[in-house]
Amino acid sequence: MTTGGQGWKGPIKQVGECRWEIPANYKSGMRTAGRIYAGADMLRDIVADQAPEQVANVACLPGIVGLSLAMPDIHWGYGFPIGGVAAFSTEDGVISPGGVGYDINCGMRLLRSDLKLDDVSRRMGDLMDALARNVPAGVGSEGPIKLSRKELDRVLVDGARWAVENGYGWPEDTARLEEGGALAGADPEAVSSEAKKRGLEQLGTLGSGNHFVEVQVVVDVYDPEAAGAFGLRRDQVVVMIHTGSRGLGHQVCTDYLKVMDRAVARFGLTLPDRQLACAPIRSDEGRSYFAAMAGAANYAWANRTCLAHWVREAFARVFGRPARDLGLATVYDVAHNIAKFEKHVCGKAGEATVCVHRKGATRAFPAGHPEVSEVYRAVGQPVLIPGNMGTHSYVLTGTETALAETFGSTCHGAGRRLSRSAAKRQIRGSDLRRELEARGIAVRCESNAGLAEEAPAAYKDVDAVVEAAERAGLSRRVVRMRPLGVLKG
Amino acid sequence: MRLFAHTADVGLDVRGESLEELFGWAAAGLARVAVGRAAPRGLERADAAVGGPLRRVQVSLPAAPDIEALLVDWLNYLVYVLDTERIYPVRCELAVSGGEGGPWTLRGVVEGRPVPPQGGGRTVKAATYHGLELARAGDGLYRARVILDV
């Protein structure tokens, strides 16, 4: 084994509070500067690998509007950095599957409850067992939902609405999801037969890797007004769900990267990294990708809706009361791997519709923004930030600064610091399991190796990431949660 | 075949005396990542005794513009088979053809074994073009590096 990372040696200078700039003249082909939002103490980790080079590479893509941006949880990805945000002109800009990633609409959902810590603390073992039984998880997991091709096409268009109409959610859930859980513009015809085959049996499954269901308790309230609007309060038990579009989304990305890889020369594009394969937004390839990606995003919203349903069932069984009586309502649901057409004020050009790519970044619109669900418009959009096993998670809210500087985006999590193999070398899964259990965190995960790969030490400090995002003005903390039990795929 | 680390992902570093052997080693590397230690470190010999039934899948990939892209297409085809058929490759009989300037094609047969339900493997989302290399070294061996998104 060797490490793949070598330190990045390019120029970077501080241009403001938690703001670092890679100048546009750093390398030939850059059309704009790069900007990384991070604390000074975080920069050493960030330049330890090639993530900043990837910020510079994204700055080379045609039609980029504003800067090539990276959030405080930036780390080395492929093509775009994880934590990257970039917007492209709908006139002469491109759309890039690598700017969204393979797990299209990987994202977070948060359920709140009327339960308090005391109500669950003695039942955590039973609750985690019930969740482990009810939530299909692990490599290649299949769920109880078997879709016909026709039904799958409906999922691709209707997203979370399909789940609610089929009894896997509550009608009021969809008003509390980004895009209402169904991104417009999806076309099942743009999704390949291979992608559909992968999607037929995976709806309502968690998958593996860093995906999880976590039972948490709210321990800190920073903004009582926003917390009140989100229905959150100290000592309250909540549930966080992290998953995406499963094999269907992976296949959509693979399919269109191949299409675009082969079209790059025809469009006369020269790219610094082949993984940045892209096509003009207005080309047939660009339009088809967006239509397929929107379908995969909708599959992910349906997926998280079904998972929330399995969670509600498990709680109802353990506490002997219907989920509604337990108050297991949806707080919100955010995508952190997606491309969307949004209206933004773009410098002197004024307001324009641009294609915002968020890869490991979360939309963070402020109070009053028309795209924020009506129920939260007075306080701003909830932003759901998972920590990692054993560490805190957060609910934040969006800001005007984010809207002005980052196309309304902030961080998405802690951000990986160690490779999976390095994590496994440094941490034994069985030790970690014991340590977490000793701290009162119930763990359900089949694989000790899988547990070690996702160990807290493999990630950056989520508290520092969220604090840097707040110091930069991109988001504000609303509440902080501590884990009680985690089910890992 | 050797695995190498990448911050969020895992890389394959493979060598072979022929392109067919190289592609076979890449398949074995993918199996190792996806299935864990249950998968052999390399492919099995065609005449070796096997434990349990093998499934045969005929492969014919559409033409790729260059050999590196063909390697990515090959691995992504195997990712698809892993996810839909729940089998991992243990033997391949492949014919890779093409030349300078492309196109490149791959035809053959893959034999696979069912993925154990509780293996130590992980979901491979895809083989990527990021940092992709394939070249013939001075010693005549083909060598490739490809990063898998896991």
Side-chain angles (χ1 to χ4, degrees):
Chain A
M1 301 270 182
T2 59
T3 56
Q6 289 176 341
W8 184 73
K9 305 277 189 260
I12 190 159
K13 64 169 182 186
Q14 187 156 16
V15 292
E17 173 74 4
C18 292
R19 286 163 174 77
W20 305 83
E21 191 166 288
I22 303 169
N25 62 5
Y26 159 54
K27 64 193 265 183
S28 108
M30 283 177 75
R31 297 160 192 263
T32 186
R35 177 178 288 178
I36 298 173
Y37 290 86
D41 49 340
M42 304 167 78
L43 205 64
R44 200 178 64 171
D45 269 348
I46 291 172
V47 299
D49 60 29
Q50 294 300 309
E53 189 71 17
Q54 296 186 319
V55 175
N57 287 345
V58 171
C60 298
L61 295 178
I64 187 165
V65 176
L67 306 175
S68 169
L69 302 161
M71 302 299 111
D73 47 341
I74 177 178
H75 61 273
W76 195 18
Y78 35 84
F80 278 61
I82 316 289
V85 176
F88 296 89
S89 158
T90 50
E91 299 293 321
D92 58 358
V94 293
I95 186 164
S96 173
V100 173
Y102 288 96
D103 197 356
I104 295 166
N105 189 7
C106 189
M108 308 301 310
R109 176 166 307 207
L110 186 69
L111 301 177
R112 62 175 188 254
S113 79
D114 291 341
L115 296 164
K116 293 180 176 176
L117 180 59
D118 279 352
D119 300 324
V120 303
S121 50
R122 269 175 301 192
R123 308 294 302 276
M124 276 312 294
D126 292 344
L127 182 57
M128 294 313 296
D129 289 341
L131 286 168
R133 270 197 304 275
N134 224 37
V135 176
V139 177
S141 47
E142 292 179 0
I145 302 171
K146 309 291 179 205
L147 296 168
S148 66
R149 292 253 170 177
K150 206 172 149 193
E151 280 294 290
L152 176 60
D153 285 356
R154 287 208 47 221
V155 172
L156 297 175
V157 173
D158 293 340
R161 281 202 306 272
W162 178 90
V164 171
E165 284 166 13
N166 284 273
Y168 300 112
W170 299 348
E172 63 268 37
D173 286 338
T174 53
R176 290 166 169 79
L177 316 178
E178 184 172 337
E179 297 297 332
L183 184 60
D187 179 3
E189 294 291 312
V191 178
S192 72
S193 167
E194 288 79 8
K196 287 180 179 174
K197 186 171 178 187
R198 294 176 75 170
L200 289 174
E201 296 188 340
Q202 293 183 348
L203 192 66
T205 66
L206 187 62
S208 64
N210 59 359
H211 294 158
F212 64 78
V213 172
E214 192 164 277
V215 181
Q216 306 167 340
V217 59
V218 176
V219 287
D220 295 297
V221 175
Y222 304 96
D223 179 339
E225 187 198 348
F230 299 161
L232 298 172
R233 56 193 173 272
R234 187 172 287 115
D235 207 34
Q236 177 184 30
V237 172
V238 299
V239 184
M240 202 172 238
I241 299 168
H242 178 209
T243 188
S245 50
R246 311 284 286 109
L248 181 140
H250 306 167
Q251 188 70 44
V252 165
C253 183
T254 294
D255 291 342
Y256 280 93
L257 268 171
K258 183 169 163 179
V259 165
M260 293 187 184
D261 177 67
R262 272 129 237 205
V264 158
R266 184 156 46 82
F267 291 122
L269 303 173
T270 310
L271 302 174
D273 180 344
R274 198 167 179 176
Q275 189 71 17
L276 290 171
C278 53
I281 290 168
R282 293 185 157 197
S283 66
D284 288 345
E285 290 85 350
R287 288 178 206 271
S288 290
Y289 169 65
F290 182 81
M293 184 222 56
N298 294 342
Y299 184 93
W301 272 307
N303 193 32
R304 287 196 290 276
T305 304
C306 293
L307 284 169
H309 184 68
W310 311 145
V311 167
R312 284 169 173 162
E313 283 186 343
F315 269 75
R317 200 162 305 142
V318 170
F319 293 98
R321 290 159 62 195
R324 275 192 185 279
D325 289 2
L326 297 168
L328 278 162
T330 300
V331 175
Y332 204 60
D333 180 301
V334 292
H336 52 223
N337 286 354
I338 203 160
K340 297 207 293 192
F341 291 102
E342 295 173 352
K343 281 184 184 167
H344 287 279
V345 176
C346 306
K348 288 176 190 158
E351 189 177 86
T353 297
V354 290
C355 183
V356 182
H357 292 58
R358 296 190 182 93
K359 184 181 183 182
T362 316
R363 196 186 74 173
F365 283 173
H369 194 286
E371 291 294 320
V372 176
S373 305
E374 224 167 280
V375 286
Y376 299 134
R377 204 166 293 160
V379 290
Q381 177 213 308
V383 175
L384 311 176
I385 304 294
N388 39 73
M389 279 181 305
T391 65
H392 294 114
S393 295
Y394 286 86
V395 178
L396 319 175
T397 189
T399 65
E400 290 290 346
T401 303
L403 197 60
E405 290 191 23
T406 59
F407 302 96
S409 311
T410 189
C411 55
H412 85 305
R416 194 166 260 284
R417 192 175 68 83
L418 293 180
S419 71
R420 286 173 164 85
S421 52
K424 277 200 292 194
R425 275 199 306 277
Q426 294 183 17
I427 303 143
R428 281 169 60 98
S430 52
D431 291 346
L432 175 63
R433 190 186 293 264
R434 267 195 302 277
E435 185 205 316
L436 292 171
E437 298 270 359
R439 284 168 49 202
I441 302 167
V443 180
R444 297 293 180 273
C445 175
E446 277 182 10
S447 156
N448 275 335
L451 202 61
E453 289 181 7
E454 300 301 322
Y459 285 85
K460 296 178 191 180
D461 176 358
V462 68
D463 297 306
V465 166
V466 164
E467 197 190 313
E470 182 156 327
R471 273 170 38 216
L474 303 182
S475 44
R476 282 185 297 109
R477 285 171 289 188
V478 177
V479 300
R480 179 160 80 156
M481 293 87 81
R482 150 173 97 71
L484 300 174
V486 60
L487 167 67
K488 254 191 50 61
Chain B
M1 184 271 294
R2 189 173 76 93
L3 305 180
F4 66 91
H6 179 273
T7 307
D9 302 307
V10 58
L12 301 179
D13 187 342
V14 288
R15 288 155 210 247
E17 288 185 8
S18 64
L19 286 169
E20 286 79 6
E21 190 182 311
L22 184 84
F23 276 52
W25 276 109
L30 173 71
R32 190 82 174 164
V33 175
V35 179
R37 283 163 199 254
R41 280 200 75 86
L43 290 179
E44 295 169 6
R45 288 165 51 96
D47 55 358
V50 294
L54 288 184
R55 292 258 310 278
R56 284 170 68 86
V57 183
Q58 297 276 350
V59 196
S60 177
L61 296 183
D66 50 71
I67 187 66
E68 292 89 349
L70 188 72
L71 179 61
V72 169
D73 290 352
W74 162 239
L75 290 170
N76 281 332
Y77 171 78
L78 294 172
V79 167
Y80 169 74
V81 171
L82 265 160
D83 204 34
T84 53
E85 307 292 332
R86 302 304 304 150
I87 57 171
Y88 65 94
V90 295
R91 291 178 181 174
C92 308
E93 288 168 45
L94 306 175
V96 175
S97 54
E100 196 74 29
W104 288 83
T105 57
L106 178 150
R107 296 169 71 88
V109 176
V110 185
E111 290 185 283
R113 189 168 284 157
V115 176
Q118 296 190 346
R122 46 199 158 188
T123 300
V124 177
K125 292 178 197 161
T128 74
Y129 297 101
H130 178 64
L132 177 63
E133 292 172 21
L134 194 163
R136 197 166 193 176
D139 55 8
L141 285 178
Y142 288 96
R143 183 181 178 197
R145 281 166 74 87
V146 55
I147 291 173
L148 307 177
D149 182 6
V150 293

